[in-house]
Amino acid sequence: MLNVTLIVLCAGNSTRFEHKTKKQWIRIANEPLWLNVTKRLASFSSFDKVIVASHENELNYMKNFTDDFIFVKGGETRQKSILNCLEFVDTKYVMISDVARACIPKSVIEELLKEKETADCIVPALNVTDTVVYETNTINRDNVKLIQTPQLSNTQILKNALNTPIEFTDESSAIKNINGTIKYIQGSLESKKLTLGNELNDLPCLKNPSNNFFNGTGFDIHAFQDDKEMFLGGVKLPYEYGFKAHSDGDVLIHSVIDALLGAIGAGDIGEFFPDTDDKYKGIDSKILLDYIVAFIYNVGYEIVNIDVTIIAQKPKINPFKNEIKNSMAKLLKIEKQFVNIKATTAEKMGFIGRAEGVAVQSVATVKYYNWKTK
């Protein structure tokens, strides 16, 4: 038994990443970066466990991709994410890597594992070849190293080292702080860190995102309720009745949300905004759609278009179609021409035909965010 757990940290907010999507979700062919990197590292050896630290908002979505890894909610900092993951580690050693180092070569992993018993923390590092100035003083570059990940640590010693309010940027700094032993091995230029996004062209192991398109459908239906404001597609309509619902009842937005979630394989509106949760009682559905649109872009997609069919005996939709199109285009962050609104009646048949409510059917199309062209 190897007696080593692999942890891949993917819980960051990518605040410095200059792209519309988060770095861990850019697509490598059809795989998000976090999955591509984790599978690649896991293939280099027979790790006892593989743990992925996920942003809280993306945890359930990540679980849709594979059952091969343990998914753990990350923390507000890198260190807190590590501590959360360490609760699931029962091996003597733990190897921790960052998803931002996407192209780590197998040789580095093999060397780390070979040296695991020689120090409390084994660290890949690069020597500095340029002149180094600290503040205004030139210092000996031979005394400077560029520290990389992954780092392999004795699990218990790392837990002890992180049991402090001090925040460390890597495991070796924490272990050194309690006088643990550190051993440096040769790092690799291939382990370049993806930070701002302009490094993408310097990471040859990353394939272009695929050109696939994805469709999803959504359907919602709501009965009328007297003495309630009516909202449709984010537009307030001039009627003295609205929709019976836990939220404001915007049946069109609810349908579009389900279509978008279907297109990216993320479940349905109830999984994100359960009607058993009082914080969503009476909520403006535009707020819900704003959240879903941000989520879609964060996890690596762009919205291409939506096509909506409103089925209503009343109220009349045609006078408001253009306003609804403008509203939905703004909410979805796409051009108006990519929003299509259709309206039909139920020919006086059934629940809708008796003018008791409205139904909406939606189709959404999305594609991967193409980081190669940005």
Side-chain angles (χ1 to χ4, degrees):
M1 186 172 70
L2 192 63
N3 212 8
V4 179
T5 295
L6 172 66
I7 295 175
V8 183
L9 302 173
C10 311
N13 287 313
S14 293
T15 53
R16 291 179 292 170
F17 193 60
E18 297 174 350
H19 287 263
K20 287 196 291 186
T21 190
K22 295 173 73 173
K23 74 177 74 170
Q24 58 264 48
W25 287 101
I26 63 169
R27 285 314 190 278
I28 313 305
N30 278 298
E31 291 180 341
L33 182 67
W34 69 262
L35 180 59
N36 182 270
V37 170
T38 305
K39 286 170 65 173
R40 186 169 178 271
L41 293 176
S43 73
F44 291 160
S45 193
S46 300
F47 294 100
D48 296 72
K49 290 180 182 178
V50 178
I51 298 174
V52 176
S54 167
H55 191 285
E56 180 179 9
N57 295 344
E58 298 152 17
L59 183 61
N60 289 333
Y61 187 49
M62 275 193 176
K63 292 177 181 178
N64 289 332
F65 286 78
T66 180
D67 294 323
D68 294 338
F69 312 135
I70 298 167
F71 293 93
V72 175
K73 183 177 75 171
E76 295 177 0
T77 64
R78 183 182 188 276
Q79 187 161 310
K80 289 177 181 176
S81 291
I82 291 173
L83 286 168
N84 288 355
C85 291
L86 287 175
E87 294 182 18
F88 297 84
V89 177
D90 53 13
T91 52
K92 184 176 180 179
Y93 303 100
V94 60
M95 182 185 294
I96 302 176
S97 194
D98 299 281
V99 70
R101 297 195 189 271
C103 297
I104 299 161
K106 184 177 181 180
S107 58
V108 171
I109 304 301
E110 291 175 333
E111 187 68 15
L112 287 167
L113 293 171
K114 187 176 76 172
E115 299 291 337
K116 66 182 180 181
E117 297 179 2
T118 62
D120 298 330
C121 186
I122 316 300
V123 183
L126 296 176
N127 294 324
V128 176
T129 57
D130 295 319
T131 298
V132 179
V133 176
Y134 176 69
E135 294 182 343
T136 59
N137 300 314
T138 301
I139 61 177
N140 187 348
R141 65 189 177 196
D142 294 336
N143 295 330
V144 178
K145 294 183 183 299
L146 300 177
I147 302 303
Q148 298 182 320
T149 60
Q151 298 177 15
L152 191 149
S153 306
N154 178 290
T155 302
Q156 189 56 54
I157 291 173
L158 180 60
K159 288 180 178 179
N160 295 340
L162 295 178
N163 186 24
T164 172
I166 302 171
E167 289 285 337
F168 296 99
T169 56
D170 75 328
E171 301 84 86
S172 67
S173 300
I175 290 175
K176 186 178 290 186
N177 186 60
I178 61 167
N179 299 315
T181 57
I182 310 296
K183 181 167 185 178
Y184 298 103
I185 67 167
Q186 183 61 41
S188 172
L189 292 174
E190 294 178 47
S191 300
K192 185 169 185 175
K193 190 176 181 182
L194 177 59
T195 303
L196 302 178
N198 55 7
E199 310 90 348
L200 282 164
N201 292 328
D202 299 326
L203 299 173
C205 76
L206 302 185
K207 297 179 180 178
N208 294 355
S210 83
N211 294 320
N212 288 340
F213 285 74
F214 306 90
N215 294 319
T217 63
F219 179 82
D220 198 29
I221 188 167
H222 282 300
F224 292 131
Q225 178 178 323
D226 291 333
D227 299 319
K228 185 178 181 181
E229 293 180 329
M230 175 177 285
F231 293 92
L232 200 61
V235 175
K236 183 180 177 181
L237 302 189
Y239 299 105
E240 295 179 353
Y241 57 93
F243 295 113
K244 185 177 182 181
H246 185 67
S247 66
D248 66 1
D250 193 322
V251 62
L252 191 153
I253 284 181
H254 297 175
S255 173
V256 168
I257 286 175
D258 267 350
L260 291 168
L261 292 176
I264 68 168
D268 59 47
I269 189 172
E271 295 176 39
F272 283 78
F273 316 111
D275 60 10
T276 54
D277 193 331
D278 284 343
K279 72 180 179 182
Y280 301 120
K281 187 172 180 62
I283 194 170
D284 184 340
S285 292
K286 295 193 297 295
I287 296 173
L288 307 184
L289 184 56
D290 281 342
Y291 180 93
I292 294 301
V293 170
F295 181 84
I296 285 168
Y297 282 96
N298 278 340
V299 299
Y301 293 90
E302 292 184 301
I303 299 169
V304 178
N305 77 308
I306 62 163
D307 183 31
V308 175
T309 302
I310 304 167
I311 309 165
Q313 202 67 40
K314 75 170 192 179
K316 293 295 184 183
I317 303 300
N318 282 341
F320 308 102
K321 282 171 69 173
N322 190 60
E323 190 176 356
I324 291 171
K325 285 186 70 167
N326 285 326
S327 171
M328 292 303 295
K330 182 177 179 181
L331 289 167
L332 296 169
K333 297 180 171 56
I334 59 178
E335 294 181 21
K336 179 180 176 182
Q337 62 177 313
F338 300 124
V339 175
N340 191 54
I341 306 292
K342 305 190 297 289
T344 187
T345 69
E347 299 295 338
K348 299 186 177 181
M349 295 184 292
F351 166 81
I352 298 171
R354 293 193 298 271
E356 296 174 6
V358 170
V360 178
Q361 174 77 49
S362 300
V363 177
T365 304
V366 302
K367 63 180 180 179
Y368 293 139
Y369 170 74
N370 190 350
W371 49 269
K372 271 289 187 181
T373 63
K374 306 302 178 182

